[in-house]
Amino acid sequence: MDTVNTVCAPSGLDWNGINWSRAKRQVRRLQTRIAKATKEGRHGKVKALQWLLTHSHSGKILAVKRVTDNRGKNTPGVDGDVWKTSKAKANAAASLKRRGYKPLPLRRIYIPKKNGKQRPLGIPTMKDRAMQALYWLALEPVAETTADGNSYGFRPWRSTADAAEQCFICLARRDSAQWILEADIAGCFDAISHQWLIDNIPMDTPILHKWLKAGFVFNNELFPTASGTPQGGIISPGLANMCLDGLEHALAEAFPRARGLKMHLVRYADDLIITGNSKEWLEHEVMPVLVDFLKDRGLRLSEEKTRVTHITEGIDFLGWNMRKYGGKLFIKPSKANIKAHLTKVQGIIKANKTIKHSDLIGILNPVLRGWANYHRHSVAKKVFARNDHEVWSMLWKWAKRRHPNKGLRWIMDKYFHTRGGRKWMFVAEEADRQGERQLFLEASMPIRRHVKIKTKANPHDPVWREYFSARRTQMWKTTPLSCRVPHGALLEA
């Protein structure tokens, strides 16, 4: 065990000279031991190993690296501080100490929701984010070992595609469940009971208590936090997940004949569905169990969004519409998701009326490619083609507006070309790069069935090491070239 090297941070840390591979190995080794001790029910050992990880030099530098490399690295908290230089990052790693630590209040902002309401977002300071990242390194192995098998949100190696594939498994057969309880938890992140978290989350209790009671600042006024774990914190999704874990066990205990009742639970964060053999059974027997489970945690169901639906009417879940047509299940992009996507594209085009079309292509391509990549495991080929036509219409109007005194033939020759036997391709020739930039076509995205992760797979358990190694290789092979990320990013998953 690398106790001395791991726990004692060297003085005068050279941030640019850190051996990141070694740091990751040391943290991974401790996480593996935490997962093993959790599996064996050795809670004292878990606590000791968590203390070792949260006081380790490797854990601290990885925590700082996470908060200075992610998308929010330039977003400050109430103190206005961000860590941009190597010296600032090295000093930050040295400052992550339990003794004397007191988190600052969150900076509260509001972001619009689809229904017109606003979602509160709490932004911690950089130091508080790093401390949360550090303690999550020690808590994640416990969370993964004790998590529900069919929970897919905010967990390593799991995604919405896994949740959709599990829905297909539960609903696709002719003798599968015909009724679905769509459950929506009202204000999940803002309503979780602090006392339940303190009593049940296996981590450093004083630190957790300080985070929960830090309060928030809005319009230069300090407000206390009586409940909830604020959206915006690194550890918040993990705490919310752990709060809802145990629902599978509660349902299995209440209904031992789950197979005969065709009961299956699929959950992604606080969005969940439960299948069943009848509407009455789901409404009068399953829902009370769910209500009691949530009540213990300070949560409740949203009356306006919770309903029981027949599979032939279809449900919208995670951006897909799942519905049976003539006894056959189709999972397609939902109408609301398609509309939101095209509205976003239209907004980008309207907001960039005067830029070069090569720059416009550079802005649009990540949006088009990202949306197509998300839906490439569903029945989406026709939707992709229809979207391409809609985007083409937007770009044709954009081009005509730019040149009101030019003829249509001139506009076509300037912006649209034939490539690979396909006409009317939106293309920008770039003389400085001696090449060209082409608009991404969603219809070019290959449709490929997703292979769902095994229910009990745990990335922190060495028993599953070969499985995840093989899965990483397979994911890399089946990801389209246009959507691949660097190999190291997959290792971070």
Side-chain angles (χ1 to χ4, degrees):
M1 193 177 78
D2 301 313
T3 306
V4 176
N5 291 333
T6 307
V7 176
C8 301
S11 58
L13 174 64
D14 177 16
W15 186 262
N16 296 322
I18 292 174
N19 186 336
W20 292 108
S21 297
R22 182 170 178 268
K24 290 174 184 176
R25 280 198 306 271
Q26 290 176 342
V27 168
R28 197 178 298 125
R29 190 181 302 123
L30 284 171
Q31 288 179 320
T32 298
R33 294 178 64 195
I34 292 171
K36 183 181 178 183
T38 304
K39 198 174 177 181
E40 294 171 352
R42 301 169 63 190
H43 304 298
K45 185 71 171 177
V46 170
K47 192 173 180 179
L49 290 168
Q50 285 181 323
W51 187 96
L52 189 61
L53 201 162
T54 54
H55 289 72
S56 71
H57 171 60
S58 297
K60 291 176 181 179
I61 60 175
L62 286 177
V64 172
K65 180 177 172 61
R66 175 174 178 178
V67 300
T68 55
D69 285 356
N70 63 16
R71 287 187 299 175
K73 62 185 178 182
N74 295 320
T75 306
V78 292
D79 60 354
D81 192 22
V82 292
W83 302 332
K84 292 187 177 181
T85 66
S86 297
K87 184 178 179 181
K89 295 173 186 178
N91 291 338
S95 73
L96 299 183
K97 298 178 180 178
R98 183 184 186 277
R99 185 187 293 271
Y101 170 66
K102 185 177 180 181
L104 291 174
L106 305 168
R107 180 165 69 89
R108 172 64 62 89
I109 62 172
Y110 289 89
I111 56 176
K113 296 170 69 174
K114 288 186 292 185
N115 59 7
K117 297 180 181 179
Q118 290 189 315
R119 185 193 307 278
L121 201 66
I123 303 174
T125 64
M126 293 293 286
K127 182 173 181 178
D128 293 335
R129 274 179 258 173
M131 284 292 282
Q132 290 187 15
L134 175 61
Y135 277 83
W136 180 244
L137 286 174
L139 184 58
E140 186 183 70
V142 180
E144 284 300 301
T145 306
T146 59
D148 287 346
N150 288 306
S151 162
Y152 299 98
F154 304 115
R155 294 180 61 188
W157 286 98
R158 296 183 180 231
S159 66
T160 52
D162 292 300
E165 189 61 26
Q166 179 62 22
C167 290
F168 187 86
I169 292 170
C170 299
L171 298 167
R173 295 174 56 177
R174 289 192 176 274
D175 60 347
S176 294
Q178 299 294 301
W179 292 94
I180 304 162
L181 169 60
E182 302 174 74
D184 185 272
I185 302 171
C188 178
F189 281 85
D190 299 321
I192 298 173
S193 165
H194 282 180
Q195 194 57 50
W196 190 95
L197 290 172
I198 291 168
D199 292 342
N200 293 277
I201 299 298
M203 66 167 287
D204 193 320
T205 303
I207 293 290
L208 177 60
H209 185 271
K210 288 178 181 179
W211 285 335
L212 296 175
K213 300 299 182 182
F216 65 90
V217 173
F218 182 65
N219 288 339
N220 295 320
E221 186 176 352
L222 178 64
F223 296 88
T225 46
S227 63
T229 172
Q231 296 182 67
I234 284 178
I235 205 170
S236 296
L239 294 178
N241 251 345
M242 295 184 78
C243 177
L244 296 175
D245 282 333
L247 180 55
E248 275 189 359
H249 177 73
L251 290 171
E253 201 173 55
F255 308 103
R257 294 192 309 108
R259 187 167 216 156
L261 298 168
K262 301 179 181 179
M263 181 181 70
H264 297 279
L265 166 70
V266 183
R267 179 169 69 84
Y268 188 93
D270 58 338
D271 292 324
L272 62 97
I273 64 168
I274 302 172
T275 66
N277 63 353
S278 74
K279 181 178 182 179
E280 292 73 20
W281 178 70
L282 286 171
E283 285 181 339
H284 302 302
E285 296 191 48
V286 174
M287 201 176 291
V289 174
L290 179 57
V291 168
D292 290 342
F293 176 86
L294 295 175
K295 187 177 180 180
D296 290 341
R297 291 152 174 79
L299 302 172
R300 62 180 180 83
L301 291 174
S302 168
E303 293 183 6
E304 60 181 74
K305 294 182 181 179
T306 300
R307 55 185 173 270
V308 178
T309 310
H310 196 270
I311 190 60
T312 55
E313 296 176 21
I315 63 167
D316 284 354
F317 187 56
L318 303 177
W320 290 293
N321 178 261
M322 303 176 183
R323 183 178 177 183
K324 272 188 175 179
Y325 298 85
K328 189 170 184 178
L329 181 70
F330 287 91
I331 299 179
K332 304 184 292 185
S334 68
K335 290 181 179 179
N337 197 266
I338 297 168
K339 183 180 179 181
H341 171 56
L342 292 176
T343 300
K344 181 177 181 179
V345 172
Q346 188 175 41
I348 292 171
I349 294 172
K350 284 186 175 181
N352 295 280
K353 294 177 180 178
T354 59
I355 65 171
K356 294 180 179 179
H357 63 300
S358 62
D359 294 334
L360 181 60
I361 291 173
I363 297 171
L364 287 175
N365 274 356
V367 176
L368 299 172
R369 186 180 291 114
W371 195 85
N373 188 47
Y374 182 86
H375 290 287
R376 68 189 173 97
H377 303 297
S378 64
V379 183
K381 204 66 178 178
K382 289 184 178 179
V383 173
F384 288 166
R386 190 162 61 247
N387 282 357
D388 287 339
H389 176 72
E390 293 291 336
V391 173
W392 178 88
S393 298
M394 296 174 196
L395 291 171
W396 179 245
K397 291 177 183 176
W398 174 88
K400 287 197 298 181
R401 183 192 174 279
R402 285 168 69 90
H403 306 282
N405 299 322
K406 296 290 185 180
L408 299 183
R409 172 65 64 178
W410 186 93
I411 294 172
M412 183 189 74
D413 291 340
K414 181 173 177 62
Y415 294 105
F416 299 92
H417 305 277
T418 300
R419 293 291 183 271
R422 188 182 181 101
K423 296 181 179 180
W424 293 94
M425 291 287 292
F426 194 66
V427 176
E429 295 178 354
E430 298 180 298
D432 55 333
R433 299 186 184 181
Q434 296 182 346
E436 64 180 24
R437 181 174 275 180
Q438 226 178 88
L439 185 75
F440 176 80
L441 294 178
E442 292 181 6
S444 66
M445 178 66 70
I447 302 295
R448 185 172 283 113
R449 182 78 175 269
H450 179 71
V451 179
K452 191 183 83 71
I453 192 171
K454 290 188 176 180
T455 303
K456 296 182 179 180
N458 182 352
H460 299 293
D461 190 338
V463 172
W464 294 94
R465 188 168 294 151
E466 290 186 9
Y467 169 77
F468 281 108
S469 179
R471 187 169 178 83
R472 180 187 299 120
T473 303
Q474 186 62 27
M475 285 173 63
W476 184 253
K477 287 180 180 178
T478 56
T479 301
L481 289 172
S482 61
C483 299
R484 286 186 180 177
V485 294
H487 192 65
L490 284 177
L491 297 175
E492 294 296 321

